[in-house]
Amino acid sequence: MASDSPFEIHDPRFLHLIVSSARLEELHTGCRWAEGPVWFSDANQLLWSDIPNQRILRWTPEGGVSVYRQPSNFANGHTRDRQGRLVSCEHGLRRVTRTEIDGSVTVLADSHQGKRLNSPNDVVVKSDGSVWFTDPTYGILSDYEGYRAEPEQAARNVYRLDPETGAIEAVVSDFAQPNGLAFSPDERTLYIADSAASHEPALPRHIRAFDVIDGRRLQNSRVFCHIDAGIPDGIRTDILGNLWSSAGDGVHCFDPAGKLIGKIRVPQTVANLTFGGPRRNRLFITATASLYSVYLAVSGSQTP
């Protein structure tokens, strides 16, 4: 690779996933902590969070950057449901919400067993409409990305919200700080990042994998991979089953067996990422103050 290439090859298979001539593009800067990118193909736009600045920003190829929502209740991770609606995790009000087509906001979850959630962080929607989200304490640790408070939940859970009843159930309760999550393309595996090393270096900086049973239960927990620089935060899978993770030095790509096959070097600490563009082969990366993108030779698996 040329010296100015952002790609770092750890396995020859990574060469088939990248466009060797592609360059990392900085699309915007000026955020305090950029997070939670989500692509809207029907609107040809990307939304992402600038958490401390209490805003959700919008980027379009034609119009550049504008403010989509402010205040945002310290919104962090976003996704879309199968009807195309925006689903968001809000640190400030410690809840998961859905933005309806008319712009109104519906609260999907803000408590569990009569106690407030910690600070929902990231979210994915399965093909059956169920909403899965992580609930670490990052948003209540200080007043920078939310409102400082003591946790009411006994654990940092990962939850599943039933699409029919609206009931939420803790599907995993033994994470130190669960963060990003992503399904494999066939939805038989759920990957969940544990980023607890962000505040305690001896704690996990790995991604775990779980078998999805009957579409609603998780079993066979195992460590899928470790991050060798920084921590895992947001994660996504491509259509071939590779896992792409945020890290301290950029984006790390792991094959379906958990082997590191390549990296995309980014000059700022990466928080999250998502596939987008008309063919879902453009990787959008939120990293500290900036939004970046790079074209790849593989498409993301997320729908829509």
Side-chain angles (χ1 to χ4, degrees):
M1 290 293 167
S3 59
D4 60 344
S5 170
F7 303 113
E8 183 178 297
I9 311 302
H10 289 247
D11 185 294
R13 291 174 295 166
F14 191 56
L15 291 167
H16 300 284
L17 305 180
I18 63 174
V19 178
S20 60
S21 61
R23 293 295 178 262
L24 186 70
E25 303 172 62
E26 186 178 60
L27 303 177
H28 179 73
T29 193
C31 299
R32 284 205 171 102
W33 182 243
E35 254 281 12
V38 57
W39 176 256
F40 283 71
S41 57
D42 43 355
N44 199 32
Q45 68 178 15
L46 183 92
L47 301 182
W48 83 97
S49 297
D50 181 5
I51 304 176
N53 280 323
Q54 275 251 50
R55 59 184 183 172
I56 300 172
L57 298 174
R58 175 199 286 118
W59 174 86
T60 66
E62 303 84 7
V65 175
S66 58
V67 175
Y68 172 78
R69 180 179 296 163
Q70 191 172 31
S72 65
N73 296 319
F74 294 100
N76 187 342
H78 305 281
T79 192
R80 300 181 75 187
D81 67 11
R82 294 304 165 123
Q83 289 71 48
R85 297 169 295 189
L86 177 69
V87 178
S88 305
C89 293
E90 299 179 4
H91 286 180
L93 295 180
R94 297 160 70 169
R95 65 185 190 176
V96 179
T97 63
R98 182 179 66 223
T99 299
E100 309 296 348
I101 301 302
D102 63 4
S104 62
V105 175
T106 299
V107 177
L108 299 180
D110 60 7
S111 64
H112 175 59
Q113 296 181 341
K115 298 179 180 180
R116 296 185 73 185
L117 298 175
N118 295 319
S119 56
N121 186 286
D122 210 351
V123 58
V124 290
V125 177
K126 195 171 174 293
S127 60
D128 62 3
S130 57
V131 179
W132 303 65
F133 65 95
T134 56
D135 191 35
T137 57
Y138 289 122
I140 56 176
L141 292 178
S142 73
D143 291 318
Y144 188 64
E145 292 189 10
Y147 302 108
R148 185 181 181 90
E150 291 298 317
E152 297 181 21
Q153 297 294 328
R156 283 71 163 144
N157 295 320
V158 180
Y159 294 102
R160 176 188 183 273
L161 185 148
D162 188 274
E164 300 298 327
T165 67
I168 71 169
E169 176 185 4
V171 291
V172 190
S173 298
D174 64 347
F175 274 80
Q177 289 284 31
N179 204 313
L181 69 175
F183 283 103
S184 60
D186 61 10
E187 297 186 331
R188 294 179 180 177
T189 305
L190 179 65
Y191 301 99
I192 308 174
D194 196 329
S195 57
S198 61
H199 288 70
E200 296 287 344
L203 292 180
R205 60 179 76 241
H206 59 224
I207 298 169
R208 288 160 65 184
F210 298 81
D211 296 335
V212 181
I213 308 301
D214 299 328
R216 58 186 309 124
R217 294 184 295 110
L218 302 180
Q219 69 177 27
N220 189 25
S221 170
R222 65 269 189 195
V223 173
F224 174 74
C225 66
H226 292 271
I227 298 298
D228 62 18
I231 59 168
D233 195 329
I235 56 178
R236 290 290 184 268
T237 57
D238 64 33
I239 57 174
L240 301 178
N242 302 298
L243 181 75
W244 301 72
S245 174
S246 58
D249 58 353
V251 175
H252 295 189
C253 181
F254 299 88
D255 72 8
K259 179 185 177 182
L260 177 67
I261 60 174
K263 295 183 179 183
I264 304 172
R265 291 288 187 176
V266 179
Q268 302 182 66
T269 299
V270 173
N272 214 326
L273 55 131
T274 198
F275 289 87
R279 297 180 180 273
R280 290 182 294 151
N281 64 339
R282 189 174 189 179
L283 191 67
F284 291 92
I285 302 165
T286 50
T288 312
S290 299
L291 172 69
Y292 296 92
S293 77
V294 63
Y295 281 95
L296 299 175
V298 66
S299 298
S301 67
Q302 190 173 344
T303 303

